[in-house]
Amino acid sequence: MTEPDKAPGTRRRFSGVRLVVAVAVASALAAAGVTALLVNIMERKQEAKNPFYRVVELDDTVTDPAVWGKNFPLQYDSYRRTVDQQRTRYGGSEAVARTPTQADPRSVVAQSRLEEDPRLVTMWSGYAFATDFREERGHAHMLEDQVFTERQHVTQQPGTCIHCHGSVYVPYKKLGDGDLIKGFEKMNQMPFMEARALVEHPVSCIDCHDPTTMQLRVTRPGFIEGIAALKASQGVPGFKVNEDATRQEMRTYVCGQCHVEYYFKGKEKRLTYPWAKGITVDQIMAYYDEDGHTDWTHKLTGAKVLKAQHPEFEMYNQGIHARSGVACADCHMPFQRVGAMKVSDHQVRSPLLNINRACQTCHKWSEAELLERAETIQTRTFQTRNLAMDALVDLIHDLERAQKAGMPEASLAKARDFQKRAQFYLDFVEAENSMGFHADQEAVRILGNSINFSRLGQNALRPESGAPASP
């Protein structure tokens, strides 16, 4: 016996009930979804309104970056990654294992540049850099690498070196009884290890940020005085960097506090940036000519010569990125998104290790294309650098032979002066951390001048210049 079919009216009522239930469920789910979305949006907006939470109170005495990191954990996380060692084709550092000793507890160092290119030993003969010169590691290592370099054993380094190897703002203030410049002057004259004992950390947050406003600031006296001298040479007297610079300028100036050419002036060993005539290599050379400063006497030739340090700020200012208003931080500390927040990456490193965020923000090309462009510039610079180094080494050996052959002092002095210029111009590119990328045409121009100085030095040693024929 079969169940009789339900009446048409009953089936319609049943379908209608199911439809109402389905609509109600769908509406509830949609409402829940919209609510969740709105809550998420509100949370993200709230995050964006509060870029940090004040967990600890910061003031002008807190040097430990770990304490700052409690308020700024994202920035601190990336800062800690400056321990990473990764090289690019022409720069960066790779980890080289070593056996720790009591005198040097490091189990890892960077690769030796002297072993990579022994011509550097000839070029710097008689100078401490000829005994130990390694690829630079990240900010986390800047203090210990200066303490344990072999250079400490062959020369008496002054406390001046701490200016760019440690967090010196608070130690300077303490030494100067609250006066930054007076503390700077006192530490310059200390032996290095005595000054080292006053410093706890490598570069720290307090060196670039005001602890109450987080505004960028310059704390290194060398740059404060150097940029004032440079601005004065440009017709802007009395320039006070922390009052007169724009925010975008400060995003370069905080890096330029240390990534510059410098020397130790006089018996006070005052750290001085030689910018009173300008910051091109020619203007700096003219400054040294007038000032009379040289770094050391070359062991093989007797020439009084100069070694450029790491003039990134000066070279960057000759390049297209500086002309376009791009700051150091734009490429070396690019912004990154973390949740709703835009955070500056404090793992300061080569843009070639971070092309996506460092380069592609402005350049709409593939990573492979951008890497090839950069390495093409660097390869051409490196090849020209090799020509300049060969020329300089040839001049040095010719000078050695001429001295032994009894060449007149006047000819030797002329050739030695050209050696000084060839050395400094070559070093200006060799010591700068971009292998020409910061200002490619300027780098090749400088190397071309270096080659010419070496050629003129060799000409000064030719017999028709008064020199005897080679034995």
Side-chain angles (χ1 to χ4, degrees):
M1 186 174 177
T2 58
E3 185 178 350
D5 291 342
K6 294 181 178 176
T10 302
R11 288 200 300 272
R12 282 197 296 272
R13 283 197 300 276
F14 185 70
S15 297
V17 170
R18 286 197 297 182
L19 179 61
V20 169
V21 171
V23 169
V25 170
S27 298
L29 290 174
V34 169
T35 301
L37 178 62
L38 290 174
V39 169
N40 185 272
I41 291 172
M42 289 177 64
E43 287 177 348
R44 294 291 176 266
K45 285 187 174 181
Q46 199 62 29
E47 283 180 10
K49 285 181 180 177
N50 297 287
F52 74 97
Y53 293 94
R54 191 179 297 276
V55 178
V56 296
E57 290 298 323
L58 299 173
D59 60 32
D60 225 21
T61 66
V62 180
T63 58
D64 188 348
V67 177
W68 288 64
K70 292 179 179 179
N71 287 353
F72 304 95
L74 300 176
Q75 289 87 346
Y76 181 58
D77 281 349
S78 56
Y79 164 87
R80 294 177 67 194
R81 293 198 62 187
T82 58
V83 296
D84 291 352
Q85 288 189 247
Q86 188 175 359
R87 72 173 302 165
T88 61
R89 187 170 181 182
Y90 292 105
S93 63
E94 61 189 51
V96 176
R98 70 176 298 278
T99 302
T101 63
Q102 191 170 3
D104 183 353
R106 294 176 300 172
S107 59
V108 174
V109 294
Q111 70 272 25
S112 169
R113 294 291 313 283
L114 302 181
E115 292 175 5
E116 289 179 343
D117 195 332
R119 291 176 298 180
L120 293 170
V121 178
T122 303
M123 195 168 89
W124 295 328
S125 179
Y127 200 41
F129 279 86
T131 61
D132 185 17
F133 176 58
R134 296 177 181 276
E135 197 65 74
E136 292 85 353
R137 298 200 287 173
H139 282 163
H141 301 289
M142 59 191 258
L143 183 54
E144 68 170 353
D145 282 355
Q146 183 64 16
V147 170
F148 297 115
T149 174
E150 288 295 319
R151 297 195 295 274
Q152 292 286 358
H153 301 297
V154 296
T155 188
Q156 182 68 48
Q157 295 200 334
T160 317
C161 299
I162 291 289
H163 182 278
C164 289
H165 286 278
S167 182
V168 288
Y169 176 70
V170 172
Y172 279 164
K173 298 267 284 198
K174 286 181 179 176
L175 268 179
D177 294 325
D179 188 316
L180 186 74
I181 300 300
K182 287 183 178 176
F184 162 69
E185 292 168 341
K186 286 183 178 178
M187 193 178 291
N188 286 341
Q189 299 180 56
M190 291 180 175
F192 177 83
M193 287 304 178
E194 186 178 330
R196 167 66 186 88
L198 303 177
V199 176
E200 294 183 72
H201 304 282
V203 65
S204 181
C205 317
I206 198 170
D207 298 302
C208 300
H209 291 281
D210 182 294
T212 54
T213 65
M214 293 303 123
Q215 290 291 318
L216 290 172
R217 66 176 181 180
V218 170
T219 58
R220 299 292 205 272
F223 189 87
I224 292 171
E225 295 179 351
I227 196 70
L230 174 60
K231 290 291 184 179
S233 76
Q234 297 170 342
V236 186
F239 184 79
K240 296 180 179 178
V241 62
N242 287 316
E243 297 176 16
D244 300 330
T246 66
R247 180 178 181 278
Q248 187 67 355
E249 285 175 330
M250 291 298 282
R251 298 179 73 238
T252 289
Y253 288 174
V254 291
C255 306
Q257 294 186 87
C258 295
H259 290 265
V260 293
E261 162 63 5
Y262 60 82
Y263 75 107
F264 304 156
K265 188 177 181 68
K267 61 181 175 56
E268 298 83 8
K269 303 296 182 186
R270 189 184 192 90
L271 183 68
T272 303
Y273 298 175
W275 296 347
K277 292 180 178 294
I279 56 173
T280 68
V281 66
D282 313 292
Q283 292 165 330
I284 291 174
M285 190 77 244
Y287 173 94
Y288 282 133
D289 283 341
E290 185 175 298
D291 181 79
H293 171 81
T294 55
D295 287 320
W296 87 103
T297 300
H298 197 274
K299 186 176 179 180
L300 302 178
T301 67
K304 294 185 179 301
V305 281
L306 291 159
K307 182 193 179 304
Q309 305 305 324
H310 31 75
E312 283 84 52
F313 179 77
E314 293 89 339
M315 285 293 283
Y316 147 84
N317 271 287
Q318 313 310 315
I320 187 62
H321 286 91
R323 291 296 182 93
S324 302
V326 178
C328 302
D330 287 317
C331 306
H332 294 279
M333 303 176 67
F335 289 111
Q336 57 184 335
R337 281 281 177 191
V338 182
M341 288 185 284
K342 190 172 74 169
V343 180
S344 180
D345 187 348
H346 282 59
Q347 186 187 2
V348 183
R349 54 182 168 159
S350 167
L352 299 184
L353 299 172
N354 191 20
I355 291 175
N356 174 261
R357 285 192 279 110
C359 309
Q360 289 183 313
T361 302
C362 298
H363 301 289
K364 306 302 180 186
W365 300 90
S366 69
E367 290 193 30
E369 169 68 18
L370 291 171
L371 180 62
E372 184 179 351
R373 289 186 187 189
E375 290 188 341
T376 297
I377 289 171
Q378 292 181 321
T379 297
R380 290 170 179 169
T381 306
F382 185 71
Q383 291 171 345
T384 313
R385 168 260 195 197
N386 282 337
L387 296 175
M389 194 169 292
D390 283 342
L392 176 58
V393 170
D394 287 346
L395 170 59
I396 289 170
H397 291 320
D398 283 357
L399 254 167
E400 273 189 283
R401 285 190 286 270
Q403 287 180 134
K404 291 177 182 175
M407 172 172 281
E409 189 58 33
S411 297
L412 292 174
K414 192 173 182 181
R416 287 171 182 149
D417 185 69
F418 282 123
Q419 180 191 345
K420 179 179 76 171
R421 296 172 197 287
Q423 149 80 36
F424 186 68
Y425 274 58
L426 168 58
D427 237 348
F428 210 82
V429 176
E430 164 65 23
E432 197 266 339
N433 287 318
S434 80
M435 190 50 74
F437 184 79
H438 283 149
D440 55 338
Q441 294 185 29
E442 174 69 352
V444 172
R445 182 191 76 83
I446 291 170
L447 292 171
N449 275 278
S450 174
I451 293 169
N452 192 46
F453 287 136
S454 291
R455 183 183 67 83
L456 292 172
Q458 289 179 298
N459 279 349
L461 299 173
R462 296 171 69 173
E464 56 267 34
S465 300
S470 298

